[in-house]
Amino acid sequence: MNGYSFKNLKWSPLPLRVTLVLFVTIFGVYICYICMKQITVERTTLFATEKAESHCEIHDFSPEEILFVHFPQPKTYSRGECFCTPVRFFVILSMQRSGSGWFETLLNSHPNISSNGEIFSVRQRRDNVSSILRTLDTVYALDWFSSAAKNECVAAVGFKWMLNQGFLQHPKEILDYFNLKGVSVIFLFRRNLLRRLISVLANDYDRLAKQLNGTHKSHVHSKEEAEILARYKPTINTAVLLSNLGHVEKTVTDCLQLFSSTRHIILYYEDIINNHNALSHVQEFLGVPKRKLVSRQVKIHTRPPSEQVMNWENVFKMLNGTKRLAFASCLPTSTVSNCHFHLCTGICKGTLGLAVKLQNVTHVFWDCWTCWCDWGNTLNGWRTCE
């Protein structure tokens, strides 16, 4: 009996249970204290933000728009009477020599739009995803200072971002940022990639040659300066021409697919020039009052590609028989003769092609090769672009 009682006492789990309950209670209280402290800090921050924005009415916006309407509070100045002016965030995604510089000057001629230029041309700002996101935060907080900044009463703020400036290296993080922050995307590309290539090569040449009084200019504001820069005719490496054009096409396609979930608009340089309503659509997209937008920039390369490339015959032979023949815009007159007057009935991008024979010299006019004269021994056939 005594031995049995002693054995029970020796192995009793009661003290162990009491110790365990006490430990769990103390640990639980500690965890609750830490959590409550963290929640209090988060609620205080959230409350401060909501209090700052509670004075601004957002009832005029649809539920779909609310994510894209912001009331930034810059750290470096006060917005004053424009405190409740809603601001849209945007970014122009483009490639060099696609008309983005000209397009940005058009936007900045609007009194309520600030597009801050090519901010990621500086390598340090795109060294890693942290520096990229930090830079984005500064821009959209209205704390980025540039000649285009309208500051207090701006209604749309953004910048232009070239695809080769760290953009495609961090697509997931950037996409998440755009969707979380409500950033609207303006895709701006060029349909005619051959003309873009000519512009790229000519601009690269001028970086070294500095044809305008020893100064390199990517954009000009007078016809005289444009004519000087347009005199240079680059020689295109035909061995890699098709692969280069294909690479650019793929880059554009990949970008559009990767960021298709954003609120976006797709623009092409040629369409902005030919469609007078394009800029109205852009202003509507950015939620700003419609104004006539102007730019002082002058187009440099205005002549057909055949007059702007040193080795045009070789380039044309490389493009002939491929879908990229459309980039040539017009045939050299030496390859087309004896065509009859004909108005093309096909439509390509909404543009009619027209070929006219004048005194045995055939001139072919079109923007996107809706149709063109066939050439060879039989010159009365017509083909239409797909």
PDB file of all heavy atoms in Angstrom, residues 21-40:
ATOM      1  N   VAL A  21       0.834  25.177 -18.180  1.00  0.00           N
ATOM      2  CA  VAL A  21      -0.255  26.160 -18.307  1.00  0.00           C
ATOM      3  C   VAL A  21       0.252  27.562 -18.009  1.00  0.00           C
ATOM      4  O   VAL A  21      -0.080  28.539 -18.702  1.00  0.00           O
ATOM      5  CB  VAL A  21      -1.426  25.784 -17.372  1.00  0.00           C
ATOM      6  CG1 VAL A  21      -2.446  26.917 -17.323  1.00  0.00           C
ATOM      7  CG2 VAL A  21      -2.086  24.495 -17.857  1.00  0.00           C
ATOM      8  N   LEU A  22       1.069  27.678 -16.964  1.00  0.00           N
ATOM      9  CA  LEU A  22       1.616  28.976 -16.595  1.00  0.00           C
ATOM     10  C   LEU A  22       2.495  29.547 -17.718  1.00  0.00           C
ATOM     11  O   LEU A  22       2.403  30.736 -18.058  1.00  0.00           O
ATOM     12  CB  LEU A  22       2.430  28.840 -15.307  1.00  0.00           C
ATOM     13  CG  LEU A  22       2.974  30.148 -14.715  1.00  0.00           C
ATOM     14  CD1 LEU A  22       1.835  31.102 -14.372  1.00  0.00           C
ATOM     15  CD2 LEU A  22       3.813  29.864 -13.476  1.00  0.00           C
ATOM     16  N   PHE A  23       3.320  28.695 -18.304  1.00  0.00           N
ATOM     17  CA  PHE A  23       4.200  29.139 -19.383  1.00  0.00           C
ATOM     18  C   PHE A  23       3.412  29.592 -20.613  1.00  0.00           C
ATOM     19  O   PHE A  23       3.683  30.640 -21.215  1.00  0.00           O
ATOM     20  CB  PHE A  23       5.142  27.995 -19.773  1.00  0.00           C
ATOM     21  CG  PHE A  23       5.994  28.296 -20.958  1.00  0.00           C
ATOM     22  CD1 PHE A  23       7.133  29.071 -20.838  1.00  0.00           C
ATOM     23  CD2 PHE A  23       5.650  27.816 -22.224  1.00  0.00           C
ATOM     24  CE1 PHE A  23       7.915  29.357 -21.935  1.00  0.00           C
ATOM     25  CE2 PHE A  23       6.428  28.100 -23.324  1.00  0.00           C
ATOM     26  CZ  PHE A  23       7.558  28.872 -23.190  1.00  0.00           C
ATOM     27  N   VAL A  24       2.384  28.798 -21.000  1.00  0.00           N
ATOM     28  CA  VAL A  24       1.552  29.147 -22.152  1.00  0.00           C
ATOM     29  C   VAL A  24       0.822  30.465 -21.917  1.00  0.00           C
ATOM     30  O   VAL A  24       0.696  31.308 -22.812  1.00  0.00           O
ATOM     31  CB  VAL A  24       0.555  28.006 -22.460  1.00  0.00           C
ATOM     32  CG1 VAL A  24      -0.463  28.452 -23.504  1.00  0.00           C
ATOM     33  CG2 VAL A  24       1.294  26.768 -22.938  1.00  0.00           C
ATOM     34  N   THR A  25       0.325  30.658 -20.669  1.00  0.00           N
ATOM     35  CA  THR A  25      -0.396  31.903 -20.353  1.00  0.00           C
ATOM     36  C   THR A  25       0.519  33.116 -20.498  1.00  0.00           C
ATOM     37  O   THR A  25       0.147  34.135 -21.110  1.00  0.00           O
ATOM     38  CB  THR A  25      -0.946  31.823 -18.922  1.00  0.00           C
ATOM     39  OG1 THR A  25      -1.802  30.676 -18.805  1.00  0.00           O
ATOM     40  CG2 THR A  25      -1.728  33.081 -18.592  1.00  0.00           C
ATOM     41  N   ILE A  26       1.708  33.021 -19.912  1.00  0.00           N
ATOM     42  CA  ILE A  26       2.643  34.148 -19.978  1.00  0.00           C
ATOM     43  C   ILE A  26       3.048  34.429 -21.434  1.00  0.00           C
ATOM     44  O   ILE A  26       3.083  35.571 -21.877  1.00  0.00           O
ATOM     45  CB  ILE A  26       3.887  33.850 -19.122  1.00  0.00           C
ATOM     46  CG1 ILE A  26       3.492  33.754 -17.641  1.00  0.00           C
ATOM     47  CG2 ILE A  26       4.958  34.916 -19.333  1.00  0.00           C
ATOM     48  CD1 ILE A  26       4.630  33.324 -16.734  1.00  0.00           C
ATOM     49  N   PHE A  27       3.340  33.359 -22.180  1.00  0.00           N
ATOM     50  CA  PHE A  27       3.733  33.527 -23.574  1.00  0.00           C
ATOM     51  C   PHE A  27       2.597  34.129 -24.404  1.00  0.00           C
ATOM     52  O   PHE A  27       2.810  34.999 -25.262  1.00  0.00           O
ATOM     53  CB  PHE A  27       4.151  32.171 -24.156  1.00  0.00           C
ATOM     54  CG  PHE A  27       4.675  32.244 -25.556  1.00  0.00           C
ATOM     55  CD1 PHE A  27       5.962  32.675 -25.804  1.00  0.00           C
ATOM     56  CD2 PHE A  27       3.870  31.897 -26.640  1.00  0.00           C
ATOM     57  CE1 PHE A  27       6.455  32.755 -27.099  1.00  0.00           C
ATOM     58  CE2 PHE A  27       4.349  31.976 -27.925  1.00  0.00           C
ATOM     59  CZ  PHE A  27       5.644  32.401 -28.163  1.00  0.00           C
ATOM     60  N   GLY A  28       1.367  33.677 -24.144  1.00  0.00           N
ATOM     61  CA  GLY A  28       0.205  34.211 -24.865  1.00  0.00           C
ATOM     62  C   GLY A  28       0.000  35.689 -24.595  1.00  0.00           C
ATOM     63  O   GLY A  28      -0.308  36.473 -25.501  1.00  0.00           O
ATOM     64  N   VAL A  29       0.154  36.086 -23.329  1.00  0.00           N
ATOM     65  CA  VAL A  29       0.008  37.505 -22.970  1.00  0.00           C
ATOM     66  C   VAL A  29       1.064  38.337 -23.684  1.00  0.00           C
ATOM     67  O   VAL A  29       0.776  39.431 -24.191  1.00  0.00           O
ATOM     68  CB  VAL A  29       0.116  37.673 -21.435  1.00  0.00           C
ATOM     69  CG1 VAL A  29       0.194  39.151 -21.072  1.00  0.00           C
ATOM     70  CG2 VAL A  29      -1.071  37.007 -20.754  1.00  0.00           C
ATOM     71  N   TYR A  30       2.277  37.823 -23.752  1.00  0.00           N
ATOM     72  CA  TYR A  30       3.360  38.554 -24.418  1.00  0.00           C
ATOM     73  C   TYR A  30       3.079  38.739 -25.912  1.00  0.00           C
ATOM     74  O   TYR A  30       3.236  39.831 -26.471  1.00  0.00           O
ATOM     75  CB  TYR A  30       4.670  37.784 -24.227  1.00  0.00           C
ATOM     76  CG  TYR A  30       5.837  38.373 -24.986  1.00  0.00           C
ATOM     77  CD1 TYR A  30       6.476  39.505 -24.528  1.00  0.00           C
ATOM     78  CD2 TYR A  30       6.275  37.791 -26.168  1.00  0.00           C
ATOM     79  CE1 TYR A  30       7.543  40.054 -25.235  1.00  0.00           C
ATOM     80  CE2 TYR A  30       7.328  38.319 -26.876  1.00  0.00           C
ATOM     81  CZ  TYR A  30       7.967  39.466 -26.411  1.00  0.00           C
ATOM     82  OH  TYR A  30       8.998  40.002 -27.102  1.00  0.00           O
ATOM     83  N   ILE A  31       2.637  37.639 -26.557  1.00  0.00           N
ATOM     84  CA  ILE A  31       2.329  37.716 -27.993  1.00  0.00           C
ATOM     85  C   ILE A  31       1.199  38.698 -28.244  1.00  0.00           C
ATOM     86  O   ILE A  31       1.241  39.511 -29.177  1.00  0.00           O
ATOM     87  CB  ILE A  31       1.967  36.315 -28.540  1.00  0.00           C
ATOM     88  CG1 ILE A  31       3.196  35.396 -28.510  1.00  0.00           C
ATOM     89  CG2 ILE A  31       1.428  36.417 -29.958  1.00  0.00           C
ATOM     90  CD1 ILE A  31       4.350  35.877 -29.367  1.00  0.00           C
ATOM     91  N   CYS A  32       0.160  38.657 -27.420  1.00  0.00           N
ATOM     92  CA  CYS A  32      -0.975  39.587 -27.571  1.00  0.00           C
ATOM     93  C   CYS A  32      -0.520  41.034 -27.421  1.00  0.00           C
ATOM     94  O   CYS A  32      -0.977  41.934 -28.135  1.00  0.00           O
ATOM     95  CB  CYS A  32      -2.064  39.256 -26.550  1.00  0.00           C
ATOM     96  SG  CYS A  32      -2.941  37.711 -26.884  1.00  0.00           S
ATOM     97  N   TYR A  33       0.387  41.253 -26.496  1.00  0.00           N
ATOM     98  CA  TYR A  33       0.888  42.614 -26.263  1.00  0.00           C
ATOM     99  C   TYR A  33       1.625  43.144 -27.506  1.00  0.00           C
ATOM    100  O   TYR A  33       1.412  44.277 -27.952  1.00  0.00           O
ATOM    101  CB  TYR A  33       1.838  42.612 -25.066  1.00  0.00           C
ATOM    102  CG  TYR A  33       2.590  43.915 -24.890  1.00  0.00           C
ATOM    103  CD1 TYR A  33       1.962  45.036 -24.364  1.00  0.00           C
ATOM    104  CD2 TYR A  33       3.928  44.007 -25.271  1.00  0.00           C
ATOM    105  CE1 TYR A  33       2.645  46.230 -24.211  1.00  0.00           C
ATOM    106  CE2 TYR A  33       4.621  45.194 -25.123  1.00  0.00           C
ATOM    107  CZ  TYR A  33       3.982  46.304 -24.592  1.00  0.00           C
ATOM    108  OH  TYR A  33       4.655  47.486 -24.455  1.00  0.00           O
ATOM    109  N   ILE A  34       2.476  42.289 -28.075  1.00  0.00           N
ATOM    110  CA  ILE A  34       3.223  42.684 -29.268  1.00  0.00           C
ATOM    111  C   ILE A  34       2.278  42.945 -30.442  1.00  0.00           C
ATOM    112  O   ILE A  34       2.402  43.937 -31.163  1.00  0.00           O
ATOM    113  CB  ILE A  34       4.257  41.602 -29.650  1.00  0.00           C
ATOM    114  CG1 ILE A  34       5.301  41.446 -28.541  1.00  0.00           C
ATOM    115  CG2 ILE A  34       4.927  41.937 -30.978  1.00  0.00           C
ATOM    116  CD1 ILE A  34       6.114  42.704 -28.295  1.00  0.00           C
ATOM    117  N   CYS A  35       1.310  42.052 -30.633  1.00  0.00           N
ATOM    118  CA  CYS A  35       0.358  42.211 -31.739  1.00  0.00           C
ATOM    119  C   CYS A  35      -0.472  43.474 -31.587  1.00  0.00           C
ATOM    120  O   CYS A  35      -0.687  44.216 -32.548  1.00  0.00           O
ATOM    121  CB  CYS A  35      -0.549  40.980 -31.842  1.00  0.00           C
ATOM    122  SG  CYS A  35       0.310  39.484 -32.378  1.00  0.00           S
ATOM    123  N   MET A  36      -0.971  43.717 -30.381  1.00  0.00           N
ATOM    124  CA  MET A  36      -1.788  44.901 -30.139  1.00  0.00           C
ATOM    125  C   MET A  36      -0.983  46.169 -30.383  1.00  0.00           C
ATOM    126  O   MET A  36      -1.488  47.163 -30.898  1.00  0.00           O
ATOM    127  CB  MET A  36      -2.330  44.880 -28.703  1.00  0.00           C
ATOM    128  CG  MET A  36      -3.375  43.811 -28.468  1.00  0.00           C
ATOM    129  SD  MET A  36      -4.826  44.032 -29.540  1.00  0.00           S
ATOM    130  CE  MET A  36      -5.449  45.595 -28.919  1.00  0.00           C
ATOM    131  N   LYS A  37       0.285  46.138 -30.016  1.00  0.00           N
ATOM    132  CA  LYS A  37       1.145  47.303 -30.229  1.00  0.00           C
ATOM    133  C   LYS A  37       1.323  47.566 -31.716  1.00  0.00           C
ATOM    134  O   LYS A  37       1.255  48.712 -32.180  1.00  0.00           O
ATOM    135  CB  LYS A  37       2.497  47.065 -29.558  1.00  0.00           C
ATOM    136  CG  LYS A  37       3.397  48.290 -29.581  1.00  0.00           C
ATOM    137  CD  LYS A  37       4.682  48.020 -28.803  1.00  0.00           C
ATOM    138  CE  LYS A  37       5.560  49.274 -28.814  1.00  0.00           C
ATOM    139  NZ  LYS A  37       6.809  49.060 -28.064  1.00  0.00           N
ATOM    140  N   GLN A  38       1.544  46.493 -32.478  1.00  0.00           N
ATOM    141  CA  GLN A  38       1.732  46.638 -33.914  1.00  0.00           C
ATOM    142  C   GLN A  38       0.454  47.123 -34.584  1.00  0.00           C
ATOM    143  O   GLN A  38       0.479  47.999 -35.436  1.00  0.00           O
ATOM    144  CB  GLN A  38       2.170  45.303 -34.522  1.00  0.00           C
ATOM    145  CG  GLN A  38       2.478  45.386 -36.018  1.00  0.00           C
ATOM    146  CD  GLN A  38       2.999  44.077 -36.552  1.00  0.00           C
ATOM    147  OE1 GLN A  38       3.208  43.139 -35.792  1.00  0.00           O
ATOM    148  NE2 GLN A  38       3.197  44.012 -37.852  1.00  0.00           N
ATOM    149  N   ILE A  39      -0.686  46.547 -34.193  1.00  0.00           N
ATOM    150  CA  ILE A  39      -1.972  46.956 -34.756  1.00  0.00           C
ATOM    151  C   ILE A  39      -2.250  48.419 -34.455  1.00  0.00           C
ATOM    152  O   ILE A  39      -2.765  49.171 -35.273  1.00  0.00           O
ATOM    153  CB  ILE A  39      -3.111  46.057 -34.222  1.00  0.00           C
ATOM    154  CG1 ILE A  39      -2.944  44.640 -34.774  1.00  0.00           C
ATOM    155  CG2 ILE A  39      -4.463  46.624 -34.588  1.00  0.00           C
ATOM    156  CD1 ILE A  39      -3.907  43.639 -34.179  1.00  0.00           C
ATOM    157  N   THR A  40      -1.890  48.851 -33.252  1.00  0.00           N
ATOM    158  CA  THR A  40      -2.120  50.247 -32.872  1.00  0.00           C
ATOM    159  C   THR A  40      -1.327  51.189 -33.763  1.00  0.00           C
ATOM    160  O   THR A  40      -1.834  52.215 -34.221  1.00  0.00           O
ATOM    161  CB  THR A  40      -1.712  50.457 -31.397  1.00  0.00           C
ATOM    162  OG1 THR A  40      -2.474  49.578 -30.586  1.00  0.00           O
ATOM    163  CG2 THR A  40      -1.952  51.904 -30.991  1.00  0.00           C
TER     164      THR A  40
END
